[in-house]
Amino acid sequence: MGIIGTVLFLATEAVAGAEPEGGFGLNTDILETNIINLAILIGVLFYFGRNVLSNTLNERRSNIEATIQEAEARAKEAASALFEAQQRLTQAQAEAQRIVKASEESARASREAILAEAAKDVQRLKETASRDLDTEREKAIAEVRARVVALALQRVESQLQTGIAEDTQHRLIDRSIALLGGR
């Protein structure tokens, strides 16, 4: 049952007490219905409650305004912090790009230095190999010469042992004297 149902029920009971027949009626006796008391009570509540209600509403309004101002201040602070964070992010990205470029340049310079050093090493190895090859060639030529000389001496010795003809001996002596500055 709602409020209206309750009011109707109470009105019916009040009327039923006033009229024995059980109909609906209005009690017009002011003292019995307490209208004066209710009017005084409503007047006192309105007079004194107005200040309390006004103070409560003003207090509530000031609390709401303070809360709104705090929220706006926090929003401004958050926006400021976001702006600063975005600036730091931009700076960090620029710094990262600078570091990447510097590392690429450093890597390029290191690569070129390593390639130059490798070229020098290759040239040095070629020169060393060429010198070693020349040395080995000279050794081989010297060995071949020594072997040829040894063979020539063996042949000369074997011819000397078999003997030289007299006219060959005279020619050899004459040639030797001519080489020495003789006739």
Side-chain angles (χ1 to χ4, degrees), residues 43-55:
V44 169
L45 284 175
F46 182 75
Y47 181 76
F48 290 111
R50 180 177 50 161
N51 290 338
V52 171
L53 185 61
S54 173
N55 288 340

Side-chain angles (χ1 to χ4, degrees), residues 13 15 55 83 94 102 112 159 182:
E13 289 296 319
V15 171
N55 288 340
F83 180 73
E112 290 173 3
Q159 285 179 355

Side-chain angles (χ1 to χ4, degrees), residues 163-174:
I164 300 179
E166 249 187 72
D167 61 334
T168 306
Q169 281 181 3
H170 285 300
R171 272 186 295 166
L172 185 58
I173 292 173
D174 287 341

Side-chain angles (χ1 to χ4, degrees), residues 10 15 17 24 36 43 52 60 65 74 97 104-105 109 116 142:
L10 291 176
V15 171
F24 181 67
I36 296 172
V52 171
R60 185 155 182 162
E65 288 174 354
R74 284 195 303 257
Q97 288 176 349
E104 287 174 352
E105 290 175 8

Side-chain angles (χ1 to χ4, degrees), residues 119-137:
K120 287 179 185 178
D121 289 344
V122 167
Q123 185 63 31
R124 191 171 46 245
L125 287 173
K126 284 181 180 178
E127 290 172 0
T128 303
S130 176
R131 281 195 306 263
D132 290 346
L133 183 62
D134 290 342
T135 303
E136 289 298 319
R137 187 179 316 142

Side-chain angles (χ1 to χ4, degrees), residues 1-157:
M1 203 186 277
I3 295 175
I4 296 175
T6 306
V7 169
L8 287 176
F9 176 73
L10 291 176
T12 309
E13 289 296 319
V15 171
E19 290 184 21
E21 296 151 8
F24 181 67
L26 216 68
N27 189 357
T28 56
D29 185 13
I30 293 180
L31 295 177
E32 192 176 305
T33 58
N34 286 327
I35 290 181
I36 296 172
N37 291 339
L38 286 175
I40 292 172
L41 181 64
I42 290 173
V44 169
L45 284 175
F46 182 75
Y47 181 76
F48 290 111
R50 180 177 50 161
N51 290 338
V52 171
L53 185 61
S54 173
N55 288 340
T56 303
L57 290 176
N58 286 336
E59 201 174 294
R60 185 155 182 162
R61 174 185 281 172
S62 64
N63 286 341
I64 290 172
E65 288 174 354
T67 303
I68 289 173
Q69 288 175 354
E70 287 177 12
E72 288 174 351
R74 284 195 303 257
K76 287 180 183 177
E77 289 175 7
S80 174
L82 176 64
F83 180 73
E84 290 175 10
Q86 287 174 339
Q87 284 183 334
R88 285 195 302 263
L89 175 64
T90 303
Q91 290 173 350
Q93 288 173 339
E95 182 68 16
Q97 288 176 349
R98 187 190 64 77
I99 289 171
V100 166
K101 285 182 183 178
S103 63
E104 287 174 352
E105 290 175 8
S106 176
R108 190 175 307 121
S110 295
R111 179 177 173 254
E112 290 173 3
I114 289 171
L115 289 176
E117 187 66 30
K120 287 179 185 178
D121 289 344
V122 167
Q123 185 63 31
R124 191 171 46 245
L125 287 173
K126 284 181 180 178
E127 290 172 0
T128 303
S130 176
R131 281 195 306 263
D132 290 346
L133 183 62
D134 290 342
T135 303
E136 289 298 319
R137 187 179 316 142
E138 288 174 11
K139 278 184 184 180
I141 291 172
E143 286 179 14
V144 168
R145 283 183 184 163
R147 182 75 178 143
V148 168
V149 168
L151 288 173
L153 284 175
Q154 277 181 348
R155 195 167 193 198
V156 168
E157 284 180 4

